Each structure stands twice: as C-alpha cells, then as structure tokens.
Amino acid sequence: MDTLDLLIARALQSGWGKAEPSSRVWHRIRRQIAARPAPNIPTRDFYLAPYWTPAVDTVFPFPSAGSLVLWRYDLALSRFA
Amino acid sequence: MKEQHTNQSASQASSDGERLLRLRRGDIEALGELYEEYKTPIFRTALAITRDRGAAEDILQECFVRLFTHSDRLFTDRSVGPWLYRVAVNLSCDWIQNHRRWVRFSEGLEQWLHSLRPMPEREVEDQELQERIREAVRGLSLAQQVVVVLFYLEGLSLKEIAEILEVPEGTVKSRLHYAREALKESLMEWQPRRSVVYELT
C-alpha cells in the first residue's frame, strides 16, 4: 500500500464506506418471497404429447457395423483364450 | 495469520451452510440471519458501482430473493459471500449498461448541489481530491471499476475477487494494475488550490 492506494481507499471509503440500506429492503424481500407461488410439479399429458422417440432397432432390425466388429473381436479373443 | 484467515473462512462456510440447509426447508429466519450478515457489503458494492441508492437497494433485494430461490443449488460447504457479491456485481453492471444517460445526468446534478455548500478551504480541497478520485474511478472501464471497488472499498484479496468474478487471479491483478495507472495519470493532472503535493508511486 502506498500513497496512491491509500488515497483511492480513502476516497471510496468516504464516499460509500458508511452506506447502509434502509430497513424497507428486508420488508420488501419478505413480501416478495411470501407472494411467490408455491413450487408445483409440472404435469404432462403423456397420451397427447409423447416425449420419447422410437428406438432405431425397431425400424432397422439389423445390428450396426460397429456392433458386428465388436462381435468379431469378441470371437477372436475367445479363440486365443 | 494465513491460518487464522483459513479457520475464519471455514467457520463462516459452516455457519452459512447450516443456514442454507434451514433455508431449503423454508426457514425465513435463516435468510434473515444471512441478510443481517451480508446486507452492508453487498449494498455498499452495488452503491459504489451504480452510484444510485434506489438501484443499490433494488439489487440488494434481488440478491436475497435469488438466494432464497436458488438455495438448493448452492454448496453448503462454502460461504455464500462470493456468490452474493457475484450476483450484486452482475446486476450492478447490467443496471449501468441500461442507465448510462441517467448516471451522467444525476452525477452532474450531484456536483452542482455539492458546489452550493459552503466549506472551509482545506476541507474543500480534501473533498475535491476525493471527488476527483471517485470521478476518475467512474471513468475506468466497468471491469476495472468492479475490481477497484472490491479491492479498495471491500478490502477483498485478489484471490477472493478472482473467485467472485470467476476469472484467473492474474486477470484481476492486471485489471487492478491498469486501473491504478489510469487513476494515477488522472490525479497527476489535478492541481490542488494550496499546492499540496502528493508523491504518487
């Protein structure tokens, strides 16, 4: 801390160092919280608006290339085991 | 000293955590205890950034309503101070960006009212210097202003400011350095009436 730091700190302290909010603020907070609606669980109409997407396997009933490679890798491992 | 500070922070975090748990159960008294503890620094910070008492009170109110709303998302093993400071700083910066024209007008009005008050010469000089510094702070970028307020008014460390602003400590250090340089330059141009010389380093 040198002179400049002290000057800045003093200027800010003398400007706002003793500032206090009025007591009205706490009453306003309490009122605002009391006026808030109680949290409710969102309701969803599962029949009219389905949120799921159909699984790919039900449309294309063949295994993917990736799973075939894994299957063969599994076979190779079992042969050397 | 450092150990004492760490112990203090740990005990602060545990008492805040206990209040947060009560708050999650809807205990408004816990919010009242947190309000009593943090209202002054949060209000002071918002006031120093916005320079508007009404705005600072609105920001203080919003901070605590948000604390109540988001109490389930806050960590109970940490102090709520940095979170409250962060919300206050963000709301203050938003307010400044939305009220730039009003800020300039109200500052001009304040200076005019101030010039009407009769004061002894020395007091006038001292007040002039302080006013000059506050005005120079207002001329800094918003990011620098925030760091200056948190460092010089709130007395927070670089590490604490970095945590509040969610930026690296080096960024805080650099913002403070450039802010300090700008303030120094601005004060160099100022000529006191009784030729009091401040040696600025």
Side-chain angles (χ1 to χ4, degrees), chain A residues 33 36, chain B residues 23 64-73:
Chain A
I33 287 172
R36 294 177 80 84
Chain B
L23 194 56
F64 280 87
V65 170
R66 285 192 191 188
L67 178 62
F68 178 76
T69 317
H70 301 304
S71 59
D72 56 331
R73 296 186 211 163

PDB file of all heavy atoms in Angstrom, chain A residues 33 36, chain B residues 23 64-73:
ATOM      1  N   ILE A  33     -41.035 -12.735  -1.252  1.00  0.00           N
ATOM      2  CA  ILE A  33     -40.944 -14.188  -1.071  1.00  0.00           C
ATOM      3  C   ILE A  33     -42.325 -14.759  -0.732  1.00  0.00           C
ATOM      4  O   ILE A  33     -42.720 -15.799  -1.253  1.00  0.00           O
ATOM      5  CB  ILE A  33     -39.892 -14.531   0.005  1.00  0.00           C
ATOM      6  CG1 ILE A  33     -38.495 -14.282  -0.572  1.00  0.00           C
ATOM      7  CG2 ILE A  33     -40.028 -15.966   0.478  1.00  0.00           C
ATOM      8  CD1 ILE A  33     -37.382 -14.394   0.421  1.00  0.00           C
ATOM      9  N   ARG A  36     -44.605 -15.265  -3.716  1.00  0.00           N
ATOM     10  CA  ARG A  36     -44.203 -16.237  -4.750  1.00  0.00           C
ATOM     11  C   ARG A  36     -45.138 -17.438  -4.727  1.00  0.00           C
ATOM     12  O   ARG A  36     -45.492 -17.915  -3.646  1.00  0.00           O
ATOM     13  CB  ARG A  36     -42.781 -16.729  -4.501  1.00  0.00           C
ATOM     14  CG  ARG A  36     -41.753 -15.644  -4.648  1.00  0.00           C
ATOM     15  CD  ARG A  36     -40.410 -16.201  -4.306  1.00  0.00           C
ATOM     16  NE  ARG A  36     -39.882 -16.947  -5.433  1.00  0.00           N
ATOM     17  CZ  ARG A  36     -39.246 -16.372  -6.439  1.00  0.00           C
ATOM     18  NH1 ARG A  36     -39.027 -15.082  -6.448  1.00  0.00           N
ATOM     19  NH2 ARG A  36     -38.786 -17.089  -7.430  1.00  0.00           N
TER      20      ARG A  36
ATOM     21  N   LEU B  23     -32.680 -22.823   5.132  1.00  0.00           N
ATOM     22  CA  LEU B  23     -33.382 -22.050   4.100  1.00  0.00           C
ATOM     23  C   LEU B  23     -34.083 -22.979   3.097  1.00  0.00           C
ATOM     24  O   LEU B  23     -35.200 -22.709   2.658  1.00  0.00           O
ATOM     25  CB  LEU B  23     -32.364 -21.160   3.383  1.00  0.00           C
ATOM     26  CG  LEU B  23     -32.894 -20.039   2.497  1.00  0.00           C
ATOM     27  CD1 LEU B  23     -33.817 -19.132   3.272  1.00  0.00           C
ATOM     28  CD2 LEU B  23     -31.733 -19.223   1.936  1.00  0.00           C
ATOM     29  N   PHE B  64     -31.048 -11.294  -2.483  1.00  0.00           N
ATOM     30  CA  PHE B  64     -31.559 -12.179  -1.428  1.00  0.00           C
ATOM     31  C   PHE B  64     -32.778 -12.978  -1.878  1.00  0.00           C
ATOM     32  O   PHE B  64     -32.975 -14.102  -1.406  1.00  0.00           O
ATOM     33  CB  PHE B  64     -31.791 -11.395  -0.131  1.00  0.00           C
ATOM     34  CG  PHE B  64     -30.504 -11.196   0.602  1.00  0.00           C
ATOM     35  CD1 PHE B  64     -29.697 -10.097   0.316  1.00  0.00           C
ATOM     36  CD2 PHE B  64     -30.038 -12.132   1.491  1.00  0.00           C
ATOM     37  CE1 PHE B  64     -28.473  -9.939   0.937  1.00  0.00           C
ATOM     38  CE2 PHE B  64     -28.817 -11.984   2.121  1.00  0.00           C
ATOM     39  CZ  PHE B  64     -28.026 -10.883   1.841  1.00  0.00           C
ATOM     40  N   VAL B  65     -33.542 -12.428  -2.808  1.00  0.00           N
ATOM     41  CA  VAL B  65     -34.657 -13.216  -3.358  1.00  0.00           C
ATOM     42  C   VAL B  65     -34.066 -14.375  -4.171  1.00  0.00           C
ATOM     43  O   VAL B  65     -34.526 -15.505  -4.086  1.00  0.00           O
ATOM     44  CB  VAL B  65     -35.586 -12.328  -4.220  1.00  0.00           C
ATOM     45  CG1 VAL B  65     -36.588 -13.180  -4.991  1.00  0.00           C
ATOM     46  CG2 VAL B  65     -36.330 -11.332  -3.347  1.00  0.00           C
ATOM     47  N   ARG B  66     -32.994 -14.090  -4.905  1.00  0.00           N
ATOM     48  CA  ARG B  66     -32.335 -15.151  -5.688  1.00  0.00           C
ATOM     49  C   ARG B  66     -31.688 -16.187  -4.765  1.00  0.00           C
ATOM     50  O   ARG B  66     -31.668 -17.373  -5.069  1.00  0.00           O
ATOM     51  CB  ARG B  66     -31.277 -14.561  -6.617  1.00  0.00           C
ATOM     52  CG  ARG B  66     -31.902 -13.876  -7.799  1.00  0.00           C
ATOM     53  CD  ARG B  66     -30.879 -13.548  -8.844  1.00  0.00           C
ATOM     54  NE  ARG B  66     -31.462 -12.668  -9.851  1.00  0.00           N
ATOM     55  CZ  ARG B  66     -30.867 -12.319 -10.963  1.00  0.00           C
ATOM     56  NH1 ARG B  66     -29.665 -12.755 -11.224  1.00  0.00           N
ATOM     57  NH2 ARG B  66     -31.456 -11.520 -11.819  1.00  0.00           N
ATOM     58  N   LEU B  67     -31.141 -15.705  -3.634  1.00  0.00           N
ATOM     59  CA  LEU B  67     -30.525 -16.642  -2.678  1.00  0.00           C
ATOM     60  C   LEU B  67     -31.595 -17.612  -2.176  1.00  0.00           C
ATOM     61  O   LEU B  67     -31.357 -18.814  -2.058  1.00  0.00           O
ATOM     62  CB  LEU B  67     -29.918 -15.860  -1.504  1.00  0.00           C
ATOM     63  CG  LEU B  67     -29.272 -16.690  -0.403  1.00  0.00           C
ATOM     64  CD1 LEU B  67     -28.096 -17.485  -0.944  1.00  0.00           C
ATOM     65  CD2 LEU B  67     -28.790 -15.801   0.735  1.00  0.00           C
ATOM     66  N   PHE B  68     -32.780 -17.093  -1.899  1.00  0.00           N
ATOM     67  CA  PHE B  68     -33.889 -17.923  -1.432  1.00  0.00           C
ATOM     68  C   PHE B  68     -34.297 -18.915  -2.529  1.00  0.00           C
ATOM     69  O   PHE B  68     -34.456 -20.106  -2.272  1.00  0.00           O
ATOM     70  CB  PHE B  68     -35.078 -17.027  -1.059  1.00  0.00           C
ATOM     71  CG  PHE B  68     -36.288 -17.797  -0.614  1.00  0.00           C
ATOM     72  CD1 PHE B  68     -36.339 -18.368   0.650  1.00  0.00           C
ATOM     73  CD2 PHE B  68     -37.373 -17.959  -1.458  1.00  0.00           C
ATOM     74  CE1 PHE B  68     -37.453 -19.088   1.048  1.00  0.00           C
ATOM     75  CE2 PHE B  68     -38.484 -18.678  -1.057  1.00  0.00           C
ATOM     76  CZ  PHE B  68     -38.528 -19.248   0.201  1.00  0.00           C
ATOM     77  N   THR B  69     -34.401 -18.409  -3.759  1.00  0.00           N
ATOM     78  CA  THR B  69     -34.856 -19.249  -4.871  1.00  0.00           C
ATOM     79  C   THR B  69     -33.836 -20.345  -5.217  1.00  0.00           C
ATOM     80  O   THR B  69     -34.211 -21.458  -5.552  1.00  0.00           O
ATOM     81  CB  THR B  69     -35.079 -18.373  -6.132  1.00  0.00           C
ATOM     82  OG1 THR B  69     -35.746 -17.187  -5.727  1.00  0.00           O
ATOM     83  CG2 THR B  69     -35.908 -19.078  -7.170  1.00  0.00           C
ATOM     84  N   HIS B  70     -32.553 -19.978  -5.168  1.00  0.00           N
ATOM     85  CA  HIS B  70     -31.522 -20.926  -5.620  1.00  0.00           C
ATOM     86  C   HIS B  70     -30.784 -21.614  -4.470  1.00  0.00           C
ATOM     87  O   HIS B  70     -29.720 -22.173  -4.692  1.00  0.00           O
ATOM     88  CB  HIS B  70     -30.505 -20.207  -6.507  1.00  0.00           C
ATOM     89  CG  HIS B  70     -31.109 -19.560  -7.720  1.00  0.00           C
ATOM     90  ND1 HIS B  70     -31.851 -20.276  -8.626  1.00  0.00           N
ATOM     91  CD2 HIS B  70     -31.113 -18.280  -8.162  1.00  0.00           C
ATOM     92  CE1 HIS B  70     -32.268 -19.468  -9.580  1.00  0.00           C
ATOM     93  NE2 HIS B  70     -31.849 -18.238  -9.314  1.00  0.00           N
ATOM     94  N   SER B  71     -31.357 -21.557  -3.268  1.00  0.00           N
ATOM     95  CA  SER B  71     -30.634 -22.122  -2.114  1.00  0.00           C
ATOM     96  C   SER B  71     -30.308 -23.610  -2.302  1.00  0.00           C
ATOM     97  O   SER B  71     -29.315 -24.095  -1.770  1.00  0.00           O
ATOM     98  CB  SER B  71     -31.434 -21.921  -0.829  1.00  0.00           C
ATOM     99  OG  SER B  71     -32.685 -22.542  -0.957  1.00  0.00           O
ATOM    100  N   ASP B  72     -31.144 -24.307  -3.088  1.00  0.00           N
ATOM    101  CA  ASP B  72     -30.887 -25.737  -3.282  1.00  0.00           C
ATOM    102  C   ASP B  72     -29.740 -26.006  -4.246  1.00  0.00           C
ATOM    103  O   ASP B  72     -29.258 -27.117  -4.357  1.00  0.00           O
ATOM    104  CB  ASP B  72     -32.164 -26.426  -3.789  1.00  0.00           C
ATOM    105  CG  ASP B  72     -32.699 -25.795  -5.066  1.00  0.00           C
ATOM    106  OD1 ASP B  72     -32.464 -24.584  -5.257  1.00  0.00           O
ATOM    107  OD2 ASP B  72     -33.317 -26.506  -5.882  1.00  0.00           O
ATOM    108  N   ARG B  73     -29.290 -24.962  -4.962  1.00  0.00           N
ATOM    109  CA  ARG B  73     -28.203 -25.159  -5.938  1.00  0.00           C
ATOM    110  C   ARG B  73     -26.843 -24.717  -5.388  1.00  0.00           C
ATOM    111  O   ARG B  73     -25.834 -24.863  -6.050  1.00  0.00           O
ATOM    112  CB  ARG B  73     -28.479 -24.359  -7.215  1.00  0.00           C
ATOM    113  CG  ARG B  73     -29.710 -24.853  -7.931  1.00  0.00           C
ATOM    114  CD  ARG B  73     -29.856 -24.134  -9.244  1.00  0.00           C
ATOM    115  NE  ARG B  73     -31.248 -23.995  -9.604  1.00  0.00           N
ATOM    116  CZ  ARG B  73     -31.700 -23.157 -10.507  1.00  0.00           C
ATOM    117  NH1 ARG B  73     -30.862 -22.364 -11.134  1.00  0.00           N
ATOM    118  NH2 ARG B  73     -32.976 -23.084 -10.792  1.00  0.00           N
TER     119      ARG B  73
END
